[in-house]
Amino acid sequence: MGIVTPGFRGRPRSSGPDLPPGQYLTHDFPVLSAGPTPRVPMDRWEFVITTETSRAHRWTWADMMALPSETPTVDIHCVTKWSKLGTTWQGVSLDTLMSDVDTAADYALVQSYGGYTTNLPLTDLLDGQAWLAYKFDGEDLHPEHGGPARMLIPHLYFWKSAKWVRGIQLRFDNEPGFWETAGYHDYGDPWREQRYQGD
Amino acid sequence: MIEPRMDLGPHLDGNVLAGPLREIFAMDVTAATSRCASCGAVGAVAALHVYANAPGMVARCPTCEEVVLRMVRTPDAAWLDMRGTVSLRIPM
């Protein structure tokens, strides 16, 4: 008889084939927040992409709503180990927002109302991988989940999908964001379990 | 840039920092007095607003809500960011 019985093995590394290593499945939608919830009046909301030459591309809420939207159904993975599968969103693809932006930048620093930031390579925002999302499950995105609009970048840990987003700074250098300066991984691929620096 | 109105949302007081900081410091830091680097407000660490439903603990100034202190515990290290703190007065 083995010394370690099944009861002492702890949580399995992954609870199913659709889950990245170390994640568990949740059916609710946990709210994580590093600070107060900003309330941005819709008539003053704007989204600004600023290039490495300081050229600013601005969209008001009405501008954004006039753009073609997509309804991606994606799995999301939080670095605190919960995953939620098959979530349905509505938003504008970053490919659409970037279509008229002339840039040679390699990196993006996403900035939020309230001061949050997160960084990633610009290529991770393109080719159908990222959205500016304003609806979840058919409803307007609730402020606690990042409304009126948040980033949706589901192939990276969810801290990269900044809530209350207000813009993206395109840069030549890779400026680490809020969690990336405090021990979390610079890239954050859940399938390679890149939670912390050094992973 | 516009300054949005803020709803504080779910947070705890700085007393919840006692255990995590005890892993790093030899004394109970929640009894210390901190000065906020953003607005200069002085107050007990125990009175900070702590957002703990997050990938780390984020302690904010109760006056201006800027970050005073952040702590992330990884499996093999503790990360402490105190750039929002001008000083800590620690009773000895």
Side-chain angles (χ1 to χ4, degrees):
Chain A
M1 179 179 153
I3 295 173
V4 178
T5 69
F8 289 94
R9 286 181 185 167
R11 192 189 296 280
R13 288 286 295 157
S14 170
S15 302
D18 296 331
L19 294 181
Q23 297 292 109
Y24 68 89
L25 186 63
T26 186
H27 295 286
D28 57 6
F29 195 168
V31 175
L32 274 72
S33 189
T37 300
R39 302 280 184 163
V40 187
M42 304 302 277
D43 59 346
R44 299 179 68 190
W45 182 93
E46 64 173 4
F47 183 76
V48 184
I49 296 178
T50 308
T51 71
E52 69 279 11
T53 59
S54 299
R55 169 97 198 275
H57 300 256
R58 297 174 185 277
W59 292 265
T60 65
W61 188 262
D63 294 336
M64 183 183 66
M65 298 306 282
L67 294 172
S69 70
E70 298 179 2
T71 52
T73 297
V74 296
D75 302 337
I76 56 178
H77 311 291
C78 180
V79 74
T80 61
K81 300 195 172 180
W82 57 263
S83 288
K84 187 171 174 62
L85 305 182
T87 60
T88 302
W89 304 77
Q90 183 175 345
V92 177
S93 168
L94 262 290
D95 294 313
T96 301
L97 294 163
M98 287 291 295
S99 61
D100 291 329
V101 176
D102 185 21
T103 181
D106 294 316
Y107 298 99
L109 183 67
V110 180
Q111 300 170 313
S112 295
Y113 292 102
Y116 182 80
T117 58
T118 187
N119 60 294
L120 70 164
L122 177 55
T123 52
D124 284 86
L125 289 176
L126 304 176
D127 297 326
Q129 297 185 94
W131 295 267
L132 178 57
Y134 52 83
K135 282 183 185 280
F136 170 74
D137 229 0
E139 305 283 339
D140 289 346
L141 190 57
H142 193 278
E144 70 180 10
H145 287 304
R150 74 177 297 160
M151 296 301 301
L152 176 64
I153 313 170
H155 69 290
L156 300 177
Y157 280 124
F158 214 44
W159 91 77
K160 300 285 185 180
S161 296
K163 302 202 280 191
W164 315 303
V165 67
R166 70 176 168 87
I168 298 174
Q169 199 180 86
L170 303 177
R171 307 172 61 95
F172 287 126
D173 63 330
N174 187 19
E175 171 81 17
F178 188 86
W179 291 118
E180 294 86 355
T181 53
Y184 280 92
H185 198 276
D186 192 65
Y187 185 64
D189 179 351
W191 294 96
R192 288 186 280 170
E193 204 167 2
Q194 294 173 333
R195 298 181 198 276
Y196 305 109
Q197 288 186 29
D199 284 349
Chain B
M1 182 194 125
I2 69 163
E3 293 299 328
R5 182 170 64 85
M6 297 286 191
D7 290 344
L8 285 187
H11 66 278
L12 307 167
D13 71 47
N15 284 300
V16 299
L17 297 170
L21 288 174
R22 191 76 204 204
E23 283 196 287
I24 304 172
F25 293 100
M27 77 294 291
D28 179 5
V29 176
T30 59
T33 303
S34 65
R35 178 184 291 273
C36 172
S38 178
C39 74
V42 174
V45 170
L48 296 174
H49 290 173
V50 177
Y51 291 82
N53 286 334
M57 300 187 93
V58 180
R60 293 176 177 269
C61 172
T63 301
C64 73
E65 291 298 330
E66 284 297 318
V67 178
V68 172
L69 183 157
R70 296 188 297 161
M71 187 176 161
V72 168
R73 188 70 166 87
T74 75
D76 60 2
W79 289 72
L80 185 62
D81 172 2
M82 297 188 65
R83 81 183 105 167
T85 313
V86 176
S87 61
L88 276 183
R89 181 188 179 276
I90 300 161
M92 306 292 277

